[in-house]
Amino acid sequence: MIIKNALVFTLDSGFIEKDVAIENGIFTDAVSEPKDGETILDAGGNYLIPGLVDVHFHGCAGFDFSDGTQEALFAIGDYELKCGVTSMCPASMTLAEDTLIQICKNASDYQKNSADKPVARLCGIHLEGPFISMEKKGAQNPAYVQNPHVDLFHRLQEASGGMIKLITLAPETEGAMDFIEALAKEVHISLGHTTSDYATACKAFSFGADHVTHFFNAMPTFTHREPGVFGAAFDNKHVMPELICDGIHIDPSAVRVVFSLFGKERMILISDSMMATGMEDGDYSLGGLPVRVKGNRATLMNGTIAGSATNLMDCMRIAVSMGIPLETAVRSASYNAARSIGVEDVCGSIEAGKYGDCVLLSKDDLSTMQVIFRGEVVER
């Protein structure tokens, strides 16, 4: 495939006018003369961005990653791909070990079964729990909250076939520092669902944690005398925070502040979407807990926000509407996300040698015109 006349997103120069070639599903360096039968796509001067990478979401289209079935994952993969999320690292919830084992095995099976199918690529698993703070459990099930346990992680990683790329934990819990020190070279560790103060978070980051789960949410508020996880993340420059830009979780002013402070190279956009995403208003569930959805607001029965009902592409558009430059929002939802879980060598940018996944957006309103996956146009 050759894509001509596009404004292509690049990491170094933002959007530049150029042609892009994809051969055997992979981006190539040079654009040659078209071969017989080769697809030529005229971008018409519109934006060409990398396929997005969501490293924190739970479900969509009426299904949840934690359902632990191939039906669920294929439905999720189909919806995400059509939205322009070409690589996904879905999140589990705080659940019983046998349930988590099944979720991990199911993910491993999906990776094998979906290799030649038009569904989003599984690039990892995010374990959001069970190693969290009871006080900041949010929409997680308190019955299964436990302290960090290295052996349990290894059992889950074995079941997943090595697919766990990210794990959320509360660093103040018993055994958390030993867990981080033991596993930081094997898996990316994120602080979240935590009551941690600044000193504890800094210690966790010094031991190798490098990520923050849904910044602001389920953690102490930043103040001038108690900077907490926020301040610790800012001071430790290797740390990358996630942000949910669905217009519900974070006020637009706070979004602009965080991007200004942390910069375009550190921020990650996520959706944290749950099964109601892409569905009508109504009653759903998340991690076994009942959730009510109205518009793009999802809440537990007590009013606690329970994930989002907005896909990552729409979150990226919302971030732009909040004043985040398009090139920064694109980078945060693609390359930065990929880098945060260590898969930037294969996805997240339009560069030679990476998967030929990209999305053509209208220059006028950022609406999706075409999704290209492995060099093929996706039927939407």
Side-chain angles (χ1 to χ4, degrees), residues 270-332:
I270 61 163
S271 71
D272 199 15
S273 70
M274 48 89 67
M275 64 163 57
T277 304
M279 304 291 286
E280 296 179 351
D281 291 356
D283 293 335
Y284 298 89
S285 67
L286 180 64
L289 302 178
V291 175
R292 181 154 295 160
V293 174
K294 186 173 183 180
N296 65 339
R297 181 182 291 271
T299 59
L300 299 181
M301 297 304 106
N302 65 5
T304 299
I305 294 177
S308 87
T310 306
N311 65 65
L312 182 59
M313 185 65 76
D314 283 339
C315 286
M316 187 192 79
R317 294 187 182 104
I318 291 170
V320 173
S321 76
M322 292 174 171
I324 304 306
L326 176 60
E327 55 267 32
T328 299
V330 169
R331 182 187 179 113
S332 300

Side-chain angles (χ1 to χ4, degrees), residues 126-133 146-149 153 166-181 183 187-196 200 204-205 209 211-213 218-219 229:
H126 178 174
L127 290 181
E128 190 186 4
F131 309 137
I132 61 174
S133 160
Q146 60 176 286
N147 291 328
H149 199 296
F153 168 79
L166 182 64
I167 181 165
T168 293
L169 59 73
E172 73 278 11
T173 54
E174 183 180 349
M177 294 300 173
D178 290 340
F179 183 97
I180 296 168
E181 194 169 26
L183 294 174
V187 65
H188 291 270
I189 297 173
S190 185
L191 306 193
H193 289 279
T194 175
T195 62
S196 174
T200 303
F205 292 139
H211 197 111
V212 182
T213 297
M219 64 186 60
V229 175

Side-chain angles (χ1 to χ4, degrees), residues 9 15 38 43 68 72 87 96 130 146 150 155 163 231 255 281 285 297 299 313 330 346 364 377:
F9 173 78
F15 287 96
E38 185 168 15
S87 295
Q146 60 176 286
V150 171
R155 291 194 293 273
M163 285 301 297
V255 170
D281 291 356
S285 67
R297 181 182 291 271
T299 59
M313 185 65 76
V330 169
V346 295
D364 295 329
V377 174

Side-chain angles (χ1 to χ4, degrees), residues 7-22:
L7 287 173
V8 181
F9 173 78
T10 65
L11 294 174
D12 296 330
S13 305
F15 287 96
I16 61 174
E17 188 172 346
K18 61 182 290 190
D19 297 342
V20 171
I22 305 171

